[in-house]
Amino acid sequence: MEIIVAYDVSTEDSAGRRRLRRVAKVCEGCGQRVQFSVFECRVNETELRRLTHRLVDEMDHELDSLRIYRLAEPRSRAVTVFGRDRYFDPDGPLIL
Amino acid sequence: MEIIVAYDVSTEDSAGRRRLRRVAKVCEGCGQRVQFSVFECRVNETELRRLTHRLVDEMDHELDSLRIYRLAEPRSRAVTVFGRDRYFDPDGPLIL
């Protein structure tokens, strides 16, 4: 399934920036960073449980907000993008 | 349908902060701000078209990124929240 991970943290202090970096690293293990604090991942149920567990371990529950969204299928209908887009479609054609 | 609007803009300059304020105002007309730059809205197809049109008008296409996601149904399965949560469920019980 396709999921969105949205992570809200104050990056005004170095501890917040460090937590965001660590969250980004965990998410990039199963997907892509598409905005400053939004990640798109493709996971199965087991990977989702594991990902959630790791993110919950990294976050500060008093200060941060973590939201995980399950997208409608298919992806092409669920996502619309305007402006800058740094998403790379792993299923798309590879142009060399 | 339930949608997520994620808006990425540099808020280091006042023009970026102003665009984010304007985007937030548009989104709050049909939903809630749940993170600094993430909004949850419930819309029908007509409202989605109108909302998209207004957001595209507000944004800077060179600098900003706007992503609109359509969530899986039902909402209770599509959204999982950890940490701070400022979402108010309009269908929930009203406790006075």
Side-chain angles (χ1 to χ4, degrees), chain A residues 40 63 69-70 78 82 84, chain B residues 40 63 66 69-70 78 84:
Chain A
E40 295 184 10
L63 300 175
Y69 297 103
R70 196 180 283 232
F82 302 91
R84 285 188 300 107
Chain B
E40 295 185 9
L63 300 176
L66 168 68
Y69 298 102
R70 196 180 284 233
R84 284 188 301 107

Side-chain angles (χ1 to χ4, degrees), chain B residues 29-78:
Chain B
C30 63
Q32 293 183 50
R33 187 176 201 160
V34 293
Q35 290 187 352
F36 186 63
S37 59
V38 176
F39 309 85
E40 295 185 9
C41 305
R42 185 181 296 176
V43 291
N44 59 32
E45 293 287 350
T46 308
E47 288 165 338
L48 177 58
R49 272 198 302 276
R50 194 177 304 147
L51 176 69
T52 303
H53 193 78
R54 292 183 65 191
L55 293 173
V56 165
D57 271 359
E58 294 289 356
M59 72 185 290
D60 182 317
H61 290 253
E62 294 294 314
L63 300 176
D64 306 344
S65 161
L66 168 68
R67 301 179 86 85
I68 300 176
Y69 298 102
R70 196 180 284 233
L71 292 191
E73 305 280 354
R75 187 182 187 284
S76 56
R77 278 198 68 224

Side-chain angles (χ1 to χ4, degrees), chain A residues 27-95:
Chain A
C27 292
E28 283 168 352
C30 63
Q32 293 183 49
R33 186 176 202 161
V34 292
Q35 289 187 352
F36 185 63
S37 59
V38 176
F39 309 86
E40 295 184 10
C41 305
R42 184 181 297 175
V43 290
N44 61 32
E45 293 287 350
T46 307
E47 289 164 338
L48 176 59
R49 271 198 302 276
R50 193 177 304 147
L51 176 68
T52 304
H53 192 76
R54 291 183 65 190
L55 293 174
V56 165
D57 270 0
E58 294 289 357
M59 71 184 291
D60 182 318
H61 290 252
E62 293 294 314
L63 300 175
D64 306 344
S65 161
L66 168 68
R67 301 179 87 85
I68 299 176
Y69 297 103
R70 196 180 283 232
L71 292 191
E73 304 282 354
R75 187 182 188 282
S76 56
R77 277 198 68 224
V79 185
T80 315
V81 182
F82 302 91
R84 285 188 300 107
D85 185 11
R86 48 180 172 173
Y87 181 82
F88 164 75
D89 181 0
D91 297 331
L94 182 62
I95 297 166

